[in-house]
Amino acid sequence: MRRIDPQRVIDIIHEQAGRTRTDRYCPGRPPSVFRCMDTDFGQEMAGDVLSGMTGSVKSIPCKYLYDAYGSRLFDRICTLPEYYPTRTELSILERNAHRIMDFFSEREGSLVEIGSGSDLKVRSLLRNLNGPSARQVRYVPVDISETSLLRSAHRLLDDFSWLSIHALVADFTRHLDCLPEGRKLIAFFGGTFGNFTHEQGVALLQSFVRVMGRRDRLLLGIDMLKPAGIIESAYNDRSGVTAEFNRNILQHVNHRLGADFRPGDFEHMAFFNPDKEQVEMHLKARSHVMAHIAEVGLSVSLRPGETILTEISRKFSRTRAMACFDEAGLVPVNWFTDPDAWFSLVELAALKG
Ligand SMILES: C[S@@+](CC[C@H](N)C(=O)[O-])C[C@H]1O[C@@H](n2cnc3c(N)ncnc32)[C@H](O)[C@@H]1O
């Protein structure tokens, strides 16, 4: 595993919140923030947008939905009546957190949260930290959105002042080698795993397996198949927050890459594709659209009705989920779900040769 040079610790909390500056990692307050990005974020985005916008189906990777405003919009989506995944997953967590957190009852370790976003879900786990080693547990949130990481870290410290937070600004598809060594419970909530195709998802799970020891666990949230109408209304809320979230990806591209997209030229479109068992979220050109992406030197033209794919969200049967786990070398040790089986939280162990 890559060891983090203590000199790379960037305590940026003080800039954002006026707190004490520290220049090396120390457990406890304030949270330490490590940037794991090894290339310039803008450069990487330029490469991704260039390949996405010149492909046979135009697309922008969904991780670019999460700039500061996008992260706030996603937090609002989680509170919408149509958006069942958050409240369903939370209810599963509330019922089972004590069992899950038994992981730390005898021995300390790290509670890693991948794509952590808001602090909503991890609170259920932290409230159930009991036993002699509880206060030795380190919380390691990992997210591409630095603002979201900082906001959540501060909110958590307001309520769990004893907590040691070691936040990683990282792309979880590339930087898992930044995770701390030692025993870990890795939580990956919110159905984010569904944003990857089968092949990408298996590769991602394999990268978790590589950093897991025999006794480590991966707690994976997966959104299950259910009637299409319920799924589709979750991505087409009446208040239009998801539409705003979707269009904001163009503002992010404009801001970072000097593009001149006009989000109002696009209609939000999200539907369930039964053949692929996934929701597809697109931006559909209302008329002929021309845009220029300065940093990439690319002019883009869209016909009326042509779309840009911004996200897929796969919905799983147990069989499909098991196929991913098998291929990745993971085995379920606990399968938690809700009474309607709309969502699952699967506790997985790595099969190590
Ligand atoms: C669907 S939201 C889920 C947020 C939260 N875990 C939840 O369950 O509500 C996805 C989160 O993952 C982060 N994210 C998306 N792609 C990422 C990537 N490649 N690397 C790191 N974080 C990523 C986003 O910033 C966002 O906070």
Side-chain angles (χ1 to χ4, degrees), residues 174-186:
R174 300 197 300 114
H175 301 125
L176 291 186
D177 58 348
C178 287
L179 294 186
E181 301 202 354
R183 64 195 301 271
K184 314 177 250 311
L185 171 62
I186 304 174

Side-chain angles (χ1 to χ4, degrees), residues 114 166 231 339:
I114 302 291
H166 177 85
I231 298 175

Side-chain angles (χ1 to χ4, degrees), residues 221-238:
I222 47 173
D223 196 8
M224 307 304 282
L225 279 170
K226 60 187 68 59
I230 295 167
I231 298 175
E232 287 188 339
S233 58
Y235 293 81
N236 290 285
D237 63 277
R238 272 170 293 170

Side-chain angles (χ1 to χ4, degrees), residues 231-288:
I231 298 175
E232 287 188 339
S233 58
Y235 293 81
N236 290 285
D237 63 277
R238 272 170 293 170
S239 42
V241 186
T242 312
E244 171 83 357
F245 172 68
N246 192 8
R247 284 192 202 100
N248 179 60
I249 202 168
L250 296 177
Q251 296 285 29
H252 194 193
V253 173
N254 285 350
H255 172 69
R256 290 264 187 185
L257 303 180
D260 59 4
F261 284 106
R262 286 187 309 196
D265 289 348
F266 293 85
E267 196 181 313
H268 164 72
M269 185 171 100
F271 58 89
F272 182 67
N273 176 337
D275 296 332
K276 295 190 171 174
E277 298 183 333
Q278 65 189 23
V279 169
E280 294 175 11
M281 195 161 85
H282 296 256
L283 288 166
K284 180 173 161 190
R286 294 184 198 274
S287 55
H288 182 242

Side-chain angles (χ1 to χ4, degrees), residues 7 16 79 111 137 143 147 151 257-258 290 306 328:
Q7 296 309 314
Q16 312 241 345
T79 66
L111 170 60
V137 171
D143 207 288
T147 18
R151 209 175 38 235
L257 303 180
M290 284 291 294
E306 190 177 350

